[in-house]
């Protein structure tokens, strides 16, 4: 091969490399906007590692203009771990999407029309507006959620994220000492009951037994401490229900102060990925008469 050809090859190689490398622009106070990787394509081990490392650091990554097909979204999620089904195994029923593993985060019915406010599906939309960590009510719980925006409303419908590591770091010492050995009980239907959604059979109520998680955890990947709270936590072991709930509410209020929150304004084609073991999130108000359609793929946490 001639010298010139070789140089050219080298240049193209460098460019490809450059084009397939994760670039991060920090977003306040902890997330990052990620560019440089095309999520529609199978990712190399190097790219996957770059994403995991970025998640360790930022806990939320925002990819713009990555309108994935459903199978591309599934493939991307599967490359990061086994998939989680969340509450869908309890509800069953008709599913609008091509894969049972994709959560239909929308106010759209199976027939493609926007659901009216009385429709059972809307309760799920409202429940998502309470601060939570996906699937914290089960073991294994969710690790990464990857949410892709298909249709966004003209106004509202943002998603907010709070960093539970910042929350731990900012707790006053007395509180850290008070909570460091406590364990919370997380129950799948607690948030539904709070919203008056109580039409569940005994069998459904018992289908997902509560999961117990330490309130304070150490991330095995980063060594950082995490204040693991969220709306699925309904009791603290060894405390009265009242005192336990009050503590959970206090800790959630602390964790979701504005200075620990990143608010994402959706554009169609955005994919936002978050670490459920290090953050909690919630949707914000939008007019349920407007169409809002997102799809979520979620991985399970794999114990290390
Ligand atoms: C979710 C979720 C919030 C939103 O997809 O897990 O909680 O803003 N979404 O739709
Ligand atoms: Mn969620």
């Amino acid at each position: 091969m001639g010298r010139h050809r070789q140089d050219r090859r080298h240049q193209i190689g460098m460019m490809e490399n450059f084009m397939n490398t994760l670039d991060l622009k920090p977003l306040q106070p902890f997330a990052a906007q990620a560019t440089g990787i095309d999520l529609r394509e199978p990712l190399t081990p190097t790219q996957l590692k770059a994403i995991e490392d970025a998640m360790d650091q930022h806990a939320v990554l925002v990819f713009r203009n990555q309108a994935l097909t459903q199978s591309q979204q599934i493939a991307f999620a599967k490359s990061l771990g086994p998939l989680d089904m969340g509450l869908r195994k309890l509800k069953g029923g008709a599913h609008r999407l091509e894969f049972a593993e994709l959560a239909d985060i929308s106010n759209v019915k199976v027939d493609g029309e926007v659901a009216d406010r009385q429709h059972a599906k809307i309760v799920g939309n409202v429940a998502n507006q309470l601060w939570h960590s996906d699937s914290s009510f089960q073991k294994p719980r969710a690790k990464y959620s990857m949410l892709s925006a298909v249709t966004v409303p003209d106004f509202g419908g943002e998603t907010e994220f709070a960093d539970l590591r910042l929350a731990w770091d900012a707790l006053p010492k007395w509180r850290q000492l008070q909570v460091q050995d406590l364990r919370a009980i997380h129950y799948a239907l607690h948030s539904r009951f709070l919203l008056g959604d109580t039409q569940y059979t005994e069998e459904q109520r018992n289908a997902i037994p509560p999961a117990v998680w330490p309130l304070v955890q150490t991330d095995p990947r980063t060594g950082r401490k995490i204040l693991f709270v969220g709306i699925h936590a309904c009791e603290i072991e060894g405390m009265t229900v009242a005192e336990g709930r009050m503590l959970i509410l206090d800790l959630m209020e602390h964790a979701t102060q504005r200075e620990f929150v990143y608010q994402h304004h959706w554009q169609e084609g955005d994919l936002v990925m978050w670490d459920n073991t290090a953050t909690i999130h919630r949707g914000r108000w939008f007019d349920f008469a407007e169409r809002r359609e997102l799809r979520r793929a979620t991985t399970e946490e794999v114990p290390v």
Side-chain angles (χ1 to χ4, degrees), residues 128 132-134 274 276 281 296:
N128 276 347
H132 65 281
S133 163
D134 292 333
W274 62 89
N276 286 292
H281 61 279
R296 170 157 65 77

Side-chain angles (χ1 to χ4, degrees), residues 238-300:
M239 282 190 180
T240 61
V241 174
E243 211 185 332
R245 278 195 192 163
M246 195 60 239
L247 177 58
I248 292 163
L249 288 173
D250 263 347
L251 294 174
M252 280 176 58
E253 188 174 320
H254 165 81
T256 58
Q257 294 173 73
R258 295 318 296 176
E259 64 214 83
F260 307 141
V261 171
Y262 165 68
Q263 185 182 63
H264 185 69
H265 294 258
W266 291 98
Q267 293 170 11
E268 289 168 6
D270 284 355
L271 183 137
V272 176
M273 177 174 177
W274 62 89
D275 183 345
N276 286 292
T277 70
T279 59
I280 45 178
H281 61 279
R282 66 170 178 183
R284 300 301 283 142
W285 184 91
F286 67 100
D287 182 349
F288 288 132
E290 272 198 81
R291 178 177 290 260
R292 182 176 188 268
E293 256 185 290
L294 301 95
R295 298 177 190 142
R296 170 157 65 77
T298 305
T299 65
E300 285 180 348

